[in-house]
Amino acid sequence: MSKKIVEQEKRAFMTGNEVVAWAALAAKADIMYGYPITPQNEIMHYWTRMAPKYEKSFLQTEDELSAGFTTIGGVMAGRKAFTATAGPGNTLMQEPMSMAEMMRLPTVVVVQQRGGPSTATVIYSQQEVTMTSIGGNGEGMRIVYSTSSHQELYDYTIKAFNTAWKYRFPTFVLGDGYQAKMRESLTLYDPEARGIELIPPEAYVGKEGVPGKDRPPAHFRNTYNMEEELYELVMDALQDYEKISPDVAEYHSAGIEDAELVIVGHGIVYRAIKAAVEAMREKGLRVGYFRPVTLRPLPVPQIKELMASNKQILLMESSYGQLARLFKDVAYGSSTKINTFFKPGMGITAEEVEAAAREILK
Amino acid sequence: MSKKIVEQEKRAFMTGNEVVAWAALAAKADIMYGYPITPQNEIMHYWTRMAPKYEKSFLQTEDELSAGFTTIGGVMAGRKAFTATAGPGNTLMQEPMSMAEMMRLPTVVVVQQRGGPSTATVIYSQQEVTMTSIGGNGEGMRIVYSTSSHQELYDYTIKAFNTAWKYRFPTFVLGDGYQAKMRESLTLYDPEARGIELIPPEAYVGKEGVPGKDRPPAHFRNTYNMEEELYELVMDALQDYEKISPDVAEYHSAGIEDAELVIVGHGIVYRAIKAAVEAMREKGLRVGYFRPVTLRPLPVPQIKELMASNKQILLMESSYGQLARLFKDVAYGSSTKINTFFKPGMGITAEEVEAAAREILK
Amino acid sequence: MPQSWRADTKPHKFCPGCGHGLVLKCLGQAIDELGIQGKTVFGCDIGCSLLSWDFFNLDSVQTHHGRTTPVVTGIKRARPELICIAYMGDGGGYSIGVQHLISAAARDEKITAILANNTQYAMTGGQMAPTTMPGQKTETTPYGRDPETTGFPLHGQEMVASVSREEAYVARGSIANLRQLKSFIKKALENQMKEIGFSFVEALSACPTNWRTNAAETWDFIEEKMPVYFKVGETRKNE
Amino acid sequence: MPQSWRADTKPHKFCPGCGHGLVLKCLGQAIDELGIQGKTVFGCDIGCSLLSWDFFNLDSVQTHHGRTTPVVTGIKRARPELICIAYMGDGGGYSIGVQHLISAAARDEKITAILANNTQYAMTGGQMAPTTMPGQKTETTPYGRDPETTGFPLHGQEMVASVSREEAYVARGSIANLRQLKSFIKKALENQMKEIGFSFVEALSACPTNWRTNAAETWDFIEEKMPVYFKVGETRKNE
Amino acid sequence: MNKTTKIVLAGEGGQGVQSVAEIIAEAANEEGKQALYIPNFGVEQRGGVSVAYVQISDGDIGAPKFQTGDIVVALSDRAVRRTVNYAGPGTTFVYESGIEGIESELPQKAGRILPIPAIDVAKNEFHPRVFNIIIMGAVIGATGVIPLERAKAAVEKKLGYKFEKQPKLRDLNFKAMERGVELVAEA
Amino acid sequence: MNKTTKIVLAGEGGQGVQSVAEIIAEAANEEGKQALYIPNFGVEQRGGVSVAYVQISDGDIGAPKFQTGDIVVALSDRAVRRTVNYAGPGTTFVYESGIEGIESELPQKAGRILPIPAIDVAKNEFHPRVFNIIIMGAVIGATGVIPLERAKAAVEKKLGYKFEKQPKLRDLNFKAMERGVELVAEA
Amino acid sequence: MTMEFQPRTQELEKGYFTLFPGLCKGCGLCIEKCPKKSLGWSDVLGVYGTPSVRANSDCIACGICRDVCPDCAIHIEKKVKH
Amino acid sequence: MTMEFQPRTQELEKGYFTLFPGLCKGCGLCIEKCPKKSLGWSDVLGVYGTPSVRANSDCIACGICRDVCPDCAIHIEKKVKH
Ligand SMILES: Cc1ncc(C[n+]2csc(CCOP(=O)(O)OP(=O)(O)O)c2C)c(N)n1
Ligand SMILES: Cc1ncc(C[n+]2csc(CCOP(=O)(O)OP(=O)(O)O)c2C)c(N)n1
Ligand code: SF4
Ligand code: SF4
Ligand code: SF4
Ligand code: SF4
C-alpha cells in the first residue's frame, strides 16, 4: 500500500474519467464498487486496470442500488470506498444515499451527469443537480462539488474523500458527460507531497476487541420507533450540517466589484461564462461572474452579498432552473432580478453567454 | 363494469387509506399495482378486498421499481392504472416516474409520506415534497396535489386520474401517515352524479388494427441519440407544462386582505394553521393563511400577489424547508421576509402555530 | 441465553412466539460454539429482522429493505478477514432484494446469508410474500392466495442453489428442528470461515401475530403445513 | 425480410454482424407464422436492444434498463388479450433486472421474455456481465474474468426454469442454429397465446464489436466457446 | 369558535385502548359531530405502549395530534409515563388505580387527577374482558360529548354479531359502560 | 485575450477522425498549449457520423463544444450535412473532394471552402490506410497551431510500436502527413 | 454484561425449572412442546403483563421447553443422579 | 410499407443471388457460412461504405447466407428444375 501513485507532479492529457481514477488512487481510496453507465464507464475501466497494481479492490455489482449499498458497506468497514454513476443510475443511487445521509456515512460518489429525464441521452447535462443535492426522502444533508475542468476533477475528487471522512456527510463530485469524455491537460500530483493531509478512515463495524467483552458492541440503525426520536436526530444532524457549511462552501468570482452584470453558473457552464466574461471585459463591458463550487452547501454569505449589491444577474445552466432554485433559496430577500438562461441537456457556449449578456446590457 | 361504486352520496367514517381505495373505484380506476409499505398498506388491503367485486385488477409486485413500471405498462395499455407508496418506496418510484415524465404517461401515484431520511419512521412527515415534486433526473414535469383531509383525499384522488389523462403528466396525490391512518368523516359520492366528467383513458400500445397494414405502428421511446433531439423534446414538454399550469394550480386562502401576518403551509399542517388562524381571529388578531393545494405547479400569480402585499409571512412545514424552497423559487423578487417553522418528521399542532404566530406579531 | 446475545437489550423486540427469536438463538449458539464473536459483523434487513439491530454482542448494522446482502457484501469485500452475516426475511430476500441474493450467490461472495421464511410480510402487517402458500389468507390475498393469478410459493432456497457453485453451502432448516437448524447455520459460517464460498440458510420461521395462530396452531403451521411446500435439508453442502 | 419487420427503419441500428438482428429475425418470422402482428406488443430494454424501439411493425415501447419485464407485465395484466413480448440483454435480464425476471416467472406471468446473451454489456462498451466467461477480457475484467473473485457465468435460463411452473416454457437457443431458435421462440409465444403460462427464451447472441472478432472468430465464439458454459435446449416445455 | 374535545388513551397492547377510541369516535360521527381518531404506530407489531388520540367537535378539527388533552386516560405504568406531557391545567387525568407505585410520576400540572379501579371493578363485578368497556364509559362520563345511548349503539354495531350469539354479553357490556360513567362521577 | 483555434472533424465510423483529433490535441498539449478534444457519442456503438471537436489555445479553454469552427473538416456526404452549421464567415471548410453531388449542400457562409482529394491521394500515392494521416496533415496545415514536427512526434508516440516492427510505415505516415499539409496549401 | 433478570426457580423431582418472568412473553410455545404436559400458566405476570409459565412435578427436565423458547426465558438444570 | 432498397441480382447456374447493398453492413457472417465458399467482397459499397457481398458461380442457392444475414440483405431464388 505504500507504493506511491504519483511519484512526482506531472502534466497529463487524458479524459475526465481517467482523471477520476487517478485522483481516487492519489486520495488513497481502497475500493470501488460500481455498475456500468455511460458516461462514467471509463472510471471503472481505468480503476480495474490500475487497481491490482496498487492492491486496491473493485467489485462490479448487479445494479446501482447494490453499488451504493456495497459502498456503504465498504465505508462502514472502515475503508475509503467510492462509486460512480450517472442519470438513471444516480436516480437509483438516491436510495442508498438516503441511508448514508441518515447514518452520516462518508460515502463518495462521482456523478457524470447525462441528459434527462429518464434514459434520455448518454451525453451531457446539468440536470442531476436537484437529485444529487437534495434527492431522496431526506433533507439534503450532503456535500456536492461541481467541477469545471480536469484539474478540478482531480483536486476535488481527492478533496471529496477528506471532506466525507472529516464531516461524515455523503459527498459527491458532480461532473458531466463532457468532462467525463473530453481530454484536456492537467497536473497530477501526490496530495501529501503538497502538504494536503489525507484523513484516515475509521471503522464503524469490525472494530478491535470482542464486543460485549472488551467494549460495547457498535450498533447502527436508520429506523426509529417514534417521531420524537427521529426529530431530535435529524435536527442534530441538520445543526451539524449548518455549522460546518461555512467551512465547506467554496466559490469563485471575478470582476464583481465594478460589474453591471454578474453571470452565475456552475460546473462546465462556468467555463463558457468565464471565457465570455474575459472576452467581454476585453471589449470594455463591465461584466463579472460568480460560480459556486459547492452546490450543497452553497456559499451563503457571498451569495447574499452579491445579491445585495444591486447588479444585474444572469444565471445560466444546462438544466431548467435546478441551480436557480437552490440559488433563490439562498438569495431570497434580494429584489435584484435574476435573468435566466436554461438549456436542459445541452451545452452552453461562450458565444451564447456573450449573446445573452449583451441582450441584458443593451 | 357498470356496477356503480357509490350508489348515492353517503357519509362515512374511515381511514385515509380506505378513502383512497374508494376514490380510485369512484374514479373508475381499472388496476392497481403495488408493493407494501407503511403507512400506505391499507390502500392495497381495501383495494384487494373490493377489486374482485367490481371486476378490477390488482398486482402485487416484487418491489416499488416494478410497481412503478407495471403501472406504466397499465397506463400504456390504455387503462387507468395507479400505485401507492411512501418513504424509501417513493425514492425507488423516482426511476419509473422519470420515465413517465419523459414519455408523458398519465400515471397516478398516491404517496403517504413517512419520516425520513432513509427508513426513519413509518409514521409521518412532509419530507417527500422535494422528491415527489421534482425528484429523479428530470425537470419536475409532474402534478402534485397535497391533501389535508379525508374529503380532499377523496376529491383529489378522483381528480388526479382526470388531471393525469387530460394533461398527460404523471400525477401524485401527496398525503401522509397521519392522513393514511387516522379516521374521520367525509362524504363519498359518485363523481359523475355530481356532474364531474371522468376522462376516459386511451391506449398508447395495443391499439386497433394491424400496425404497418391498417395504421403505422405506435413506437415509444425515452432514449435519444443527440442532445439537440432531447433538447427540443424537453423544451416542448416544459412549454406544455407551463401552459397548463394556470389551469392546474389550486390554492386556498383566507383573511389575507387585512392580515398583518399570513401563514403558509400545505397538507395536513394547513389544518393546524387554519384552526389556529380561526382561533386567533376570534381573539382579534389580524392573521390569514395561504395554502397551496398543488405543490407542482404552484399557484404562481397568487403567490406573487401575496408576496407583493408586504405582509409578514410565516411558512410552516413538517420538513426542513422543502416547501419553502419551492415557494421561494416562485416568490423570489419580493423583499418580504419569510419566517419559517420547520419540524422535520413531526406533526405541527394548532397550539404551535399560534405560538409561532404570536412570536412574530409581538 | 447465548453468550453472543446482548442481555441488556432483552427481552428482545419480537412478538411473543416469534420465530425470529429462535433463528437468532441458533445463530447465537453457532457463533458461541465457533468462537467468532470478536470478528463477526451482523447485518439485518428492514422487516421484523430490523428489530435485531441491537440484538447481539456483535457490531451490527441495520440496512434498508432487501439491501442487507449488498451492505454485508460491501463490508466483506473491504475487510475479508471479518465473518459477515446478512439476516433477512423472505420479503427482503426473495422479493425486493432477490437480485442481490442471487448475484451474491452467483459471484460466490464469501458471506453467510440467513433468511427467515414466515410466508408473508410481517412487519407491514401481513401481506403476501413470494413464499405465501396456496390458499393462505393475507392482507393482499384476502380470499386466499390464488396460484393462477399470483403464482406458487417461490422455492427460494432451490433457486439460490441453482446459481451457486458446488462449493457453496445452501440449506433449508426449520425452527421445528432447532438442533438441525443450528448445525446448518454453523456449517454455513464454517464455509465462510474456511473461505470456501457463499453460504445460505433459509429457516422456516413463525409469525403468530400475522398468522393469528395460538401456540398449538403455530406449531402445526410450521410442522405440518410449511413442509408441504418447503423441503428441509441441505442442497449444497460441499462434502 | 419478415412481414412484421418495419422496412422503412432498415437497415436497423445494430452493428455489422450483431446477433440482435438474427434473434429479431427469428422473432419476426415466428410472429409472421403465428399471424399475431395485429395483437402483439413489443417491449425492449436499455442495452443494445433499445435500438429495436422502431424495429417492428408492432406497437412498441422502449423502457428502462432491466425494466422491460415489469412494463410488459403491466401491459399484460391490464390487457390480457394482447400478446406481450419483453426483449432484453443479459445485463438487463440477469443483472439489474433479475428480480423482475424471476418474479415474473415465479408469478407465472403470461408473457414471453426473450433475452439475448452476448456475454457482456454491449451498449456501454463491453463490461463484464453475469454471463461473461472465465478468462474472457472485458473492460471491467481487463485481465480476464477471474471466477474466484467474480464468480462463474450465471446459468440464467436454468435459474428461470428453477422458479417456473411445470407449465412454463423455458429454453435456450442460439443464433448458431436459427431454425431451432425460431422454433423455441414460436413455442414460447404459443405458450402465451394458449394462456398456459410464462415463457422465456435465452438466445446465445453475438457482439462482434465488443468481442473485437472478425466473422470467422465470431462464429467460432458462438459455436465453440459459448456452448461450453451454456447448454442449448428446452428445460421446460410443457409437453 | 367550536370547542374541540381532545382525548388521549394509553395502555398496554392487550388493553384495547384502540378499539375504545375507535368506537367513541364513531359514536361521535354518528351523532353528527366531527370526529378524528388516530392511533400511534411504529415498526413493532407488539410491545410498546398503545396510544390513541381522539378529537370530537362541532366544527372542523385541526391537526390530528395535539399537545394537551382535555381527558387523558392511562392504564399502565408505562402509559402514565408516556402521557404525562399531555396533561395541562385544563386536563382531567384518569388512571387505573391498580398501578402500583406510580403516584410520584403522575402529572403535576393536571387540572384534575382521577384514579379509577377499573381492573378491580371489571374482575370483581363483571369479567376481565370488559375492562376496556368500563374505560369507555369513564371517557364518556368525563367528557360528556356523546350521549351514552349513542355509545351503546356504536358498541352494538361493532359487537352486535357477538351479542346475537350470546345476548347476555350485551347486557354485560352496557352495564360495564354505565359503571364506567359512574366511576368518574364518583371519583 | 488568447486566440483559441477551434476544429471540427467529421466522417464515417471507419475514417479515423477521432484518432486524428486525439493526436492533434495531444501534440498541442506536448507543445505546451492548452488543448481540449471531445468526441461526439451516443447510444449506438456503430453507425452514425463520427464528429470530433478540438480546441487549442495558449490560455484557458471555455466550453468543450462551440458554435463555429475555425477549421471544419468533413469526409463524407453525411459528415458535410452534419457540420454545415459549424461554418461561419471565419471558417475554413475542408471537405473530401471525392464525395459525389455534395456541392449544393456545402455551407454558404463559410469563409473559405477547400475541397481536397485525400481519398485519391491516399489510394494512388500511398495506401488507403493513411487516409486519416493525410487529413491530419491538412488540419495542421490549415491551422498552423502546431509545428509539423510535434505532430510527427505525437504520431510516433501513438504508432511507434508499429513503426518498430515495420520501419517503412514511419516514412509512409510522415510523408502522408506532409502531403496533407501541401493539399491545403495548394487548394 | 450480566443478566439482570429475576429468576424464579422451582425445585422439582428431576431437576430445577427456572423461569425469568422478565423475559417470558407468554407465547405458550413451550407449553405445547412439553412431552409430559407438565407446563402451565402461572399467576406471575411476564414482561407484557400476560401470565408466565410454571412447571408441575411431571417435569423430567428434558430441556425441550428451554430449547423452544424464543426468548430464552427458561433455564433447566437436571439433578445429577448419585 | 414497401421495401425501397435497390436490389442487385446475379443470375447464377443454380439460382438468383440478390443482394441489397443498402442493407449490407459488410459483416462477413454470410461469407463464412457459405458451404461452397462462393461468397466474397464486391466493389459495390454497402450502407456503411464498406464492401458488400457477391456470389460466384459455385453458389448452389442453398440459402444459408440469406438465413445468417442479420440485416436481411440477401435474397435467394432457386431455379426450378424442368
Ligand atoms: C423500499 C421499501 N419498500 C417497502 C418497505 C416496507 N417494508 C418494510 S418491512 C417489509 C416486509 C418485510 O417482510 P419480510 O422481509 O418477509 O420480513 P418479516 O417482517 O416477515 O420478518 C416491507 C415491505 C420498505 N421499508 N422499504
Ligand atoms: C439504471 C441504469 N443503469 C445503467 C445503465 C447503463 N446501461 C445501459 S445499457 C447497459 C448494459 C446493457 O447490457 P445488456 O443488457 O447485456 O445488453 P446488450 O447491450 O449487451 O445488448 C447499461 C449498464 C442504464 N441505462 N440505466
Ligand atoms: S410480526 Fe411476526 S415476524 Fe414480526 S416480530 Fe411479530 S411474530 Fe415476529
Ligand atoms: S455493440 Fe454488440 S450487441 Fe450492440 S449493436 Fe453492436 S454488435 Fe450488437
Ligand atoms: S416459550 Fe418462553 S416466552 Fe413463550 S411462554 Fe414459554 S417461557 Fe414464556
Ligand atoms: S451477412 Fe448480410 S450484412 Fe453481413 S456481409 Fe453478408 S450480406 Fe452483408
Side-chain angles (χ1 to χ4, degrees), chain E residues 162-182:
Chain E
K162 282 192 184 167
F163 298 170
E164 290 299 295
K165 287 184 218 150
Q166 280 188 272
K168 267 192 288 184
L169 273 185
R170 179 182 288 115
D171 204 45
L172 186 74
N173 274 277
F174 289 178
K175 286 252 165 65
M177 199 187 293
E178 284 157 24
R179 192 70 178 86
V181 176
E182 279 171 39

Coordinates of all heavy atoms in Angstrom, one line a residue, chain E residues 162-182:
Chain E
K162 N -71.6 -10.7 18.0 CA -71.3 -11.5 19.2 C -72.6 -11.5 20.1 O -72.9 -12.6 20.6 CB -70.2 -10.9 20.0 CG -68.8 -11.2 19.4 CD -67.7 -10.9 20.4 CE -66.3 -11.1 19.8 NZ -65.3 -10.5 20.7
F163 N -73.2 -10.4 20.2 CA -74.4 -10.3 21.1 C -75.5 -11.2 20.6 O -76.2 -11.8 21.3 CB -74.9 -8.8 21.2 CG -73.9 -7.9 21.8 CD1 -74.1 -6.5 21.7 CD2 -72.7 -8.3 22.4 CE1 -73.2 -5.6 22.3 CE2 -71.8 -7.4 22.9 CZ -72.1 -6.0 22.9
E164 N -75.6 -11.3 19.2 CA -76.6 -12.2 18.7 C -76.5 -13.6 19.2 O -77.5 -14.2 19.6 CB -76.4 -12.3 17.1 CG -76.8 -11.0 16.4 CD -78.2 -10.6 16.5 OE1 -79.1 -11.4 16.1 OE2 -78.5 -9.5 17.2
K165 N -75.2 -14.0 19.2 CA -75.0 -15.4 19.7 C -75.2 -15.5 21.2 O -75.7 -16.5 21.7 CB -73.6 -15.9 19.3 CG -73.5 -16.2 17.8 CD -72.1 -16.7 17.5 CE -71.6 -16.2 16.2 NZ -70.1 -16.1 16.1
Q166 N -74.7 -14.5 21.9 CA -74.7 -14.6 23.4 C -75.4 -13.3 23.9 O -74.7 -12.4 24.3 CB -73.3 -14.7 24.0 CG -72.7 -16.1 23.9 CD -71.4 -16.1 24.7 OE1 -70.4 -15.8 24.1 NE2 -71.5 -16.3 26.0
P167 N -76.7 -13.2 23.9 CA -77.4 -12.0 24.3 C -77.0 -11.5 25.7 O -77.0 -10.3 25.9 CB -78.9 -12.4 24.3 CG -78.9 -13.6 23.4 CD -77.6 -14.3 23.6
K168 N -76.5 -12.4 26.5 CA -76.1 -11.9 27.9 C -75.0 -10.9 27.8 O -74.8 -10.0 28.6 CB -75.8 -13.1 28.8 CG -76.9 -13.6 29.6 CD -76.5 -14.6 30.6 CE -76.1 -15.9 30.0 NZ -75.7 -16.9 30.9
L169 N -74.2 -11.1 26.8 CA -73.0 -10.3 26.6 C -73.4 -8.8 26.5 O -72.7 -7.9 27.0 CB -72.2 -10.7 25.4 CG -71.1 -11.8 25.5 CD1 -70.4 -11.9 24.2 CD2 -70.2 -11.4 26.7
R170 N -74.5 -8.6 25.8 CA -74.9 -7.2 25.5 C -75.1 -6.5 26.9 O -74.6 -5.4 27.1 CB -76.2 -7.2 24.7 CG -76.7 -5.8 24.5 CD -78.0 -5.7 23.7 NE -77.8 -6.1 22.3 CZ -78.3 -7.2 21.7 NH1 -79.0 -8.0 22.4 NH2 -78.1 -7.4 20.4
D171 N -75.8 -7.2 27.7 CA -76.1 -6.6 29.0 C -74.9 -6.3 29.8 O -74.7 -5.3 30.3 CB -77.0 -7.6 29.7 CG -77.9 -6.9 30.8 OD1 -78.4 -5.8 30.4 OD2 -77.9 -7.4 31.9
L172 N -74.0 -7.3 29.8 CA -72.8 -7.2 30.5 C -72.0 -6.0 30.0 O -71.5 -5.2 30.9 CB -71.9 -8.5 30.2 CG -70.6 -8.6 31.0 CD1 -70.9 -9.0 32.4 CD2 -69.7 -9.7 30.3
N173 N -71.9 -5.8 28.7 CA -71.2 -4.7 28.2 C -71.8 -3.3 28.6 O -71.1 -2.4 29.0 CB -71.1 -4.8 26.7 CG -69.9 -5.6 26.3 OD1 -68.7 -5.2 26.2 ND2 -70.1 -6.9 26.0
F174 N -73.1 -3.3 28.4 CA -73.8 -2.0 28.6 C -73.7 -1.6 30.1 O -73.5 -0.5 30.5 CB -75.3 -2.1 28.2 CG -75.4 -2.1 26.7 CD1 -76.6 -2.1 26.0 CD2 -74.3 -2.0 25.8 CE1 -76.8 -2.1 24.7 CE2 -74.4 -2.0 24.5 CZ -75.6 -2.1 23.9
K175 N -73.8 -2.6 30.9 CA -73.7 -2.4 32.4 C -72.3 -1.9 32.7 O -72.1 -0.9 33.5 CB -74.0 -3.7 33.2 CG -75.4 -4.1 33.2 CD -76.1 -3.8 34.6 CE -77.6 -3.9 34.6 NZ -78.1 -5.2 34.2
A176 N -71.4 -2.5 32.1 CA -70.0 -2.1 32.4 C -69.7 -0.7 32.0 O -69.1 0.1 32.6 CB -69.0 -3.1 31.6
M177 N -70.3 -0.3 30.8 CA -70.2 1.0 30.4 C -70.8 2.0 31.4 O -70.2 3.0 31.7 CB -70.8 1.2 29.0 CG -70.3 2.4 28.3 SD -71.2 2.8 26.8 CE -70.7 1.4 25.8
E178 N -72.0 1.7 31.8 CA -72.6 2.6 32.8 C -71.8 2.7 34.1 O -71.6 3.8 34.6 CB -74.0 2.0 33.2 CG -75.0 2.3 32.1 CD -76.2 1.3 32.1 OE1 -76.5 0.8 33.2 OE2 -76.8 1.1 31.0
R179 N -71.2 1.6 34.4 CA -70.3 1.6 35.6 C -69.1 2.5 35.4 O -68.7 3.2 36.4 CB -69.9 0.1 35.9 CG -69.2 -0.1 37.2 CD -70.3 0.0 38.4 NE -69.6 -0.3 39.6 CZ -68.9 0.6 40.4 NH1 -68.9 1.9 40.0 NH2 -68.3 0.3 41.5
G180 N -68.6 2.5 34.2 CA -67.5 3.4 33.9 C -67.9 4.8 34.1 O -67.1 5.6 34.7
V181 N -69.1 5.2 33.6 CA -69.6 6.5 33.8 C -69.6 6.9 35.3 O -69.2 8.0 35.7 CB -71.0 6.7 33.1 CG1 -71.5 8.1 33.4 CG2 -70.9 6.4 31.7
E182 N -70.2 6.0 36.0 CA -70.2 6.2 37.5 C -68.9 6.4 38.1 O -68.7 7.3 39.0 CB -70.8 4.9 38.2 CG -72.3 4.8 38.1 CD -72.8 3.4 38.7 OE1 -72.1 3.0 39.7 OE2 -73.7 2.9 38.1

